[in-house]
Amino acid sequence: QVQPVESGGGLVQAGGSLRLSCAASGSIFSITYMGWYRQAPGKQREWVAGINRGGSTNYADSVKGRFTISRGNAENTVYLQMNSLKPEDTAVYYCNVQYQTGGFWGQGTQVTVSS
């Protein structure tokens, strides 16, 4: 397994939408969990959303109802659809992929929401 690769960040106005993608390596059968985290300037990294091998999803209260995590058809790709974006969603977003043998972080993708 190698570092997952994120894409899809950018600059958007408040109320807009973005979709982040994360492509993981390795067999889908070895992936146990895929999650999105974010880190705003001067703050600690925080968990945003996750999906397990069975397809169950969970969300942080701050994004519930606005963000949707899903897997691609290949199942080693995970998406984060972000709607109704707010300036406080501005952060570097990281993908985390957990395998049976350990986890890996992506390099991060910047999301900036202007007011």
Side-chain angles (χ1 to χ4, degrees):
Q1 294 88 358
V2 298
Q3 184 180 43
V5 179
E6 303 110 332
S7 61
L11 173 64
V12 65
Q13 288 188 331
S17 299
L18 283 174
R19 189 174 85 151
L20 306 183
S21 300
C22 171
S25 66
S27 168
I28 60 171
F29 300 106
S30 65
I31 295 174
T32 61
Y33 181 86
M34 301 178 81
W36 287 97
Y37 295 72
R38 66 187 182 186
Q39 187 167 17
K43 295 188 177 181
Q44 290 192 336
R45 191 172 299 187
E46 63 175 1
W47 171 77
V48 174
I51 184 167
N52 66 16
R53 188 188 308 190
S56 296
T57 59
N58 292 92
Y59 299 91
D61 287 344
S62 59
V63 306
K64 202 171 292 184
R66 300 188 297 122
F67 290 10
T68 303
I69 188 170
S70 62
R71 283 195 304 239
N73 290 334
E75 295 195 7
N76 61 351
T77 300
V78 66
Y79 303 102
L80 186 68
Q81 178 66 43
M82 305 185 294
N83 299 328
S84 302
L85 282 161
K86 304 174 181 179
E88 51 263 45
D89 294 318
T90 295
V92 177
Y93 283 71
Y94 296 91
C95 176
N96 179 265
V97 180
Q98 295 292 321
Y99 299 86
Q100 293 169 340
T101 54
F104 293 85
W105 290 95
Q107 80 287 354
T109 185
Q110 177 70 46
V111 171
T112 303
V113 184
S114 63
S115 56

